[in-house]
Amino acid sequence: MKHPRSAESVAALTVADLGEPGPGAELVDHLGPVLERLARGEVAEVAAAPPAAAADEGQSPDVVVPVDGTDEEAPLEALRADLLDLFEAQAASRWLDVAARRMAAAGLGSHTVASAGHEGNAAVAMALRSNDPALLHHRSTAFYLARLASAGLEEGIAAVARGLAGSSDQPAGGGRRPTPAHPEVAVLPPAGTVAGHLPRALGLAWAIGRQPRNRARLVGGRLNWPSDAVAVASFGDGTAGTGAALGAINAALWASRQGVPLPLLLVCEDNALGFSTSSPPGWIRSVFGSREGLRYFPADSAGDSAALFATARRAVETARAHRRPVLLHLSCVRIGGHSGADHELSYRKPGRISAELARDPLVATMNALVRHGAMAGDEVGRRLLHLRDQVASALEDATHRPRPQSSAEVMAPLSPRRPAVVGMAASREPAPERRQALFGTRLPEKEGPLTLAESINRTLLDAALAHPGVVVMGRDVARAGGLHGVTRDLHKKLGPAQVTDTTPDAQSILGLAMGGAVSGLLPIAELSLDDLHAAGELLRSEVATLAFSSDGAYRNPMVLRVPGLGYQDGFGGAVAVDNALGGLREIPGLVIACPAHPAQAPALLRTCLAAAEADGTVSVMLEPVALYHQRDLGAEGDDGWLAPYAPPAEWGSQHAAIGRAAVHGNGEDLAIAAYGNGLRMALRAAARLEHEGIGCRVVDLRWLAPLPVEDVMSAAMATGNLLIVDETRRTGGISESLVTAVLEEGYDGRLARVTAKDSPLPAGPAAAFVQLTEARVMSTARALCNE
């Protein structure tokens, strides 16, 4: 390939020979001598397999098993057809790698991480079905092309080219990411973090496995994948040691050991490198080769092609038939460095690089084509050049297609807002006979006043009727009823299909929710606030961005119930309970609700679930632990922090629209904006201030993202005094954003805020020195009004 003379000279990607210098030539320079030998009829012997790819005991590497065949010896013609398909995907992938590096050098693109050396994964794609959901390693172009071809779609090269060019026409991407995805062949967007896709793969396998073979027993409606599908996730050997990968695999084996069906195929593409750091010899086999509950299959992508096909098919069918985790250990090489900017000679010896070129899977397939009579040597060369020209033509077309033209276009999939649709869904009444069957003779609206925990509990039960795909999940949420008793009796009333315990690992809980959500379920996952912070990168880069990175082709509708904020008596401390929310509020598109009073909690939860169903919204329900079982507001025994449960006929009138506050009182002297524990303090303070002649209106923010700025502004402008009661920290807390927002909206009255200190919350009496207190609310309010 020639280096394009200018950004406009895309047609110069079509050139005369393979050996011309320029970016990307390092990926194909070694193919010239191979083609010369093949043209003379000289076919190389099958490369010796590395130790990790030795055949399993009892498996003969000489048995020819095509992807679409049986376990018996297959006709040679079937193998030839498989080899032709494999070559098409591998060769096109290689030329797309070369073109990507040429485009980057010409300023037409930026993606230079090549799939070169990993193209053996195309054989895995051929062993799978085109509706088996796939979460792929970033070196998976050949897999993607083979998957589209197996589905009868001829747009594979064009689809990848559009991604490289940043075209708005890119399938399931819209020019936001160069790596491929496609909803028609169940390829999801690749991970935004290292191993971030493996927890989702766990969830996909769990969602598939929970579908019974007998459709008549299906709970929650048909999902997006067949009941006999296999979830596949590929990853590199350098990724295998990360916490996300080990946690997901451990959770899969933990669940499988207990009889949970998990049709999960893990493909470890082992090139013995994690960027510049070599993996220890035999590392992957030593870690995963004898794990109890994990069936292990080694294969060599540069060895005998028939054996590669056979092993890939055996691995797939084991996962499909037995619905259990399988690891296919695919030995690969890395050709051309980690990326185009990588100076590989600075950390690898030339002899090692040359040795790996001899194990190029594309070269192995070219030799196999001639060895098995599928093509003559000169035909291989002509077809390789034809695919090169096809790639160049696709790229020329892609660079002339439209790209995103505005921030609004780029951000459109982040958080679609259809408030009318959400309002209708939130007001949907379950069938009376179904409520009667669930609750019996004592409907929740007839129970009398409820606590916050009780109101959430009853709403979860109603939600399971209104949204059949609801699955409540988390640590100890089933038989134990949750750490705080909020999910008590749900397991007994709804059954294990809708209420399930999980491992304690926060990333695995999010993974189950992600996989379930993209499969068509509506997960309600419970995690503590500290657990959510621990899994924050997964929430930020995988959960909240799926619709964005896929241009809306895939969605993650879910609600995360998060018991958090500080216990006002100091119980809990910095480990179990904290008040840091900055890491959540910065996540684009994430909705955060904070139900403080039992009168508001049901409406907020119904809105979050309706937004998930209608718009694919990801919501966090931040539930103040200290208020779960609180009964009183002013004096002991006044039951001021209880509320009756609204009957379904009133759900529409009580709908809590996203980003709209609830206002208590109509005083004209002071507006107090508060949420969570601070709401109870603010209402108590307002009552005391009324006796001092200061009329207050208290704004229950309810929504912490997006903030109800319009409602706060209205109250502030009506009084001329605004006090923000914020139990998060002074730096990076809610009040900083709210102050900025009202000032930008033109508020010019008096303003003050009272917050927690910039400190973790300690346990015991020491907490009173750093957390928000009612005494500080009162003193700040008096000072503001008396200025």
Side-chain angles (χ1 to χ4, degrees):
M1 284 192 171
K2 286 182 179 177
H3 192 298
R5 296 182 177 84
S6 68
E8 291 76 27
S9 183
V10 184
L13 290 169
T14 303
V15 295
D17 65 85
L18 292 171
E20 192 151 343
E26 65 277 7
L27 305 178
V28 292
D29 279 344
H30 63 291
L31 298 183
V34 174
L35 289 175
E36 292 174 4
R37 289 196 298 271
L38 290 176
R40 295 194 300 267
E42 299 174 9
V43 181
E45 295 296 323
V46 175
D56 275 352
E57 184 179 350
Q59 174 189 352
S60 170
D62 300 323
V63 175
V64 178
V65 182
V67 171
D68 54 356
T70 66
D71 289 335
E72 301 174 356
E73 288 199 15
L76 185 59
E77 285 303 315
L79 175 61
R80 289 170 176 168
D82 290 336
L83 287 171
L84 288 169
D85 291 340
L86 182 65
F87 174 68
E88 291 282 315
Q90 291 180 326
S93 174
R94 185 65 58 89
W95 286 118
L96 284 161
D97 285 342
V98 176
R101 295 191 176 184
R102 294 287 166 99
M103 290 179 71
L108 294 171
S110 59
H111 184 71
T112 60
V113 176
S115 297
H118 282 250
E119 294 99 342
N121 54 34
V124 182
M126 294 167 64
L128 291 156
R129 300 172 186 166
S130 61
N131 56 2
D132 288 326
L135 295 156
L136 302 178
H137 185 248
H138 56 274
R139 303 184 190 277
S140 298
T141 302
F143 182 109
Y144 180 77
L145 295 173
R147 167 64 70 94
L148 264 70
S150 69
L153 301 178
E154 299 179 357
E155 60 184 77
I157 292 175
V160 177
R162 293 172 191 176
L164 295 175
S167 168
S168 301
D169 296 335
Q170 175 196 16
R176 292 170 185 82
R177 287 187 178 178
T179 42
H182 207 300
E184 293 184 39
V185 291
V187 176
L188 282 74
T193 56
V194 175
H197 59 310
L198 294 182
R200 189 194 300 276
L202 167 69
L204 281 167
W206 169 76
I208 295 167
R210 74 192 298 271
Q211 298 183 88
R213 304 286 192 183
N214 181 359
R215 285 292 189 184
R217 298 173 54 212
L218 190 63
V219 176
R222 184 169 184 170
L223 300 188
N224 297 334
W225 330 111
S227 59
D228 64 343
V230 171
V232 57
S234 57
F235 57 98
D237 57 295
T239 298
T242 63
L246 294 174
I249 295 172
N250 181 69
L253 299 183
W254 179 88
S256 182
R257 176 69 179 267
Q258 299 182 77
V260 177
L262 280 175
L264 175 62
L265 176 64
L266 300 164
V267 183
C268 182
E269 299 183 17
D270 184 2
N271 61 25
L273 279 170
F275 185 51
S276 65
T277 305
S278 297
S279 300
W283 175 247
I284 295 300
R285 182 168 195 143
S286 68
V287 173
F288 298 112
S290 57
R291 285 290 298 272
E292 183 179 354
L294 182 66
R295 185 67 190 274
Y296 173 86
F297 292 89
D300 182 17
S301 65
D304 181 74
S305 300
L308 174 61
F309 286 138
T311 304
R313 183 177 179 276
R314 287 181 63 210
V316 169
E317 291 310 313
T318 299
R320 193 183 310 279
H322 298 285
R323 305 179 107 188
R324 59 182 291 187
V326 170
L327 188 134
L328 174 60
H329 181 192
L330 190 61
S331 295
C332 306
V333 293
R334 193 185 72 186
I335 296 173
H338 178 75
S339 65
D342 179 20
H343 184 51
E344 193 174 21
L345 286 171
S346 66
Y347 58 86
R348 300 190 78 195
K349 295 180 180 180
R352 178 69 183 275
I353 296 174
S354 298
E356 295 205 340
L357 289 176
R359 289 185 36 77
D360 183 349
L362 175 57
V363 171
T365 302
M366 291 161 61
N367 278 292
L369 284 167
V370 178
R371 182 184 305 113
H372 293 289
M375 270 186 173
D378 55 349
E379 289 180 293
V380 173
R382 287 195 296 272
R383 186 59 188 167
L384 190 67
L385 293 176
H386 173 77
L387 288 167
R388 176 205 63 191
D389 293 344
Q390 194 174 342
V391 166
S393 176
L395 283 164
E396 182 174 10
D397 173 74
T399 53
H400 288 90
R401 289 180 174 269
R403 298 183 179 186
Q405 298 298 309
S406 67
S407 60
E409 185 178 352
V410 171
M411 296 167 63
L414 260 180
S415 54
R417 293 282 183 261
R418 295 185 295 169
V421 178
V422 171
M424 292 176 62
S427 305
R428 187 167 60 230
E429 301 179 20
E433 59 274 12
R434 296 189 65 203
R435 293 191 82 226
Q436 193 75 41
L438 181 64
F439 291 109
T441 58
R442 198 181 185 200
L443 295 172
E445 55 267 32
K446 296 181 179 180
E447 288 187 61
L450 304 177
T451 63
L452 178 63
E454 290 168 339
S455 69
I456 295 173
N457 176 281
R458 308 310 188 263
T459 309
L460 289 170
L461 288 167
D462 263 328
L465 299 179
H467 307 273
V470 158
V471 180
V472 178
M473 61 178 65
R475 181 172 56 184
D476 301 318
V477 300
R479 291 179 175 85
L483 181 60
H484 306 284
V486 178
T487 57
R488 185 171 294 134
D489 291 335
L490 262 64
H491 183 265
K492 182 169 63 177
K493 292 178 178 291
L494 299 175
Q498 287 192 278
V499 184
T500 182
D501 285 327
T502 67
T503 68
D505 176 46
Q507 293 192 84
S508 296
I509 296 173
L510 278 180
L512 288 174
M514 286 192 292
V518 79
S519 298
L521 297 174
L522 184 46
I524 305 176
E526 179 177 323
L527 303 96
S528 66
L529 186 54
D530 52 306
D531 281 341
L532 193 60
H533 283 309
E537 191 55 40
L538 196 64
L539 176 63
R540 179 180 297 105
S541 300
E542 306 299 333
V543 179
T545 59
L546 180 63
F548 174 81
S549 59
S550 69
D551 197 24
Y554 294 102
R555 309 189 313 171
N556 258 331
M558 70 176 73
V559 177
L560 304 177
R561 289 187 47 252
V562 181
L565 301 176
Y567 282 120
Q568 293 309 303
D569 59 5
F571 175 75
V575 175
V577 181
D578 211 347
N579 59 352
L581 299 181
L584 297 179
R585 293 198 68 256
E586 71 176 6
I587 299 176
L590 184 70
V591 169
I592 305 176
C594 186
H597 196 278
Q600 298 292 334
L604 291 174
L605 180 51
R606 282 194 290 267
T607 297
C608 289
L609 289 167
E613 181 185 272
D615 295 331
T617 301
V618 178
S619 298
V620 169
M621 277 271 292
L622 182 62
E623 300 167 4
V625 175
L627 299 179
Y628 269 148
H629 307 293
Q630 179 60 252
R631 303 179 66 88
D632 304 322
L633 172 58
E636 185 175 351
D638 67 6
D639 288 349
W641 212 256
L642 302 177
Y645 189 85
E650 297 178 10
W651 291 357
S653 62
Q654 295 187 8
H655 172 56
I658 292 176
R660 298 309 303 264
V663 181
H664 304 268
N666 56 4
E668 298 182 354
D669 300 313
L670 176 64
I672 307 176
Y675 64 93
N677 293 304
L679 175 65
R680 183 168 179 268
M681 295 182 195
L683 290 171
R684 287 165 58 92
R688 293 169 61 186
L689 290 169
E690 290 283 354
H691 290 298
E692 299 176 15
I694 300 175
C696 301
R697 57 183 69 188
V698 177
V699 182
D700 177 5
L701 296 178
R702 302 194 301 186
W703 302 100
L704 305 185
L707 286 165
V709 177
E710 179 183 344
D711 295 317
V712 174
M713 273 293 294
S714 177
M717 296 297 287
T719 62
N721 291 303
L722 174 60
L723 172 62
I724 301 174
V725 177
D726 180 9
E727 64 180 296
T728 59
R729 300 168 189 171
R730 191 164 188 84
T731 301
I734 301 297
S735 58
E736 280 190 340
S737 297
L738 193 53
V739 167
T740 301
V742 297
L743 292 178
E744 287 180 344
E745 289 293 315
Y747 176 68
D748 59 359
R750 288 184 291 272
L751 173 64
R753 60 187 178 121
V754 56
T755 71
K757 303 293 185 181
D758 286 339
S759 167
L761 292 182
F769 295 107
V770 296
Q771 69 183 7
L772 183 68
T773 63
E774 190 173 325
R776 292 173 56 208
V777 174
M778 284 294 298
S779 62
T780 307
R782 290 187 183 112
L784 180 64
C785 292
N786 292 330
E787 286 182 358

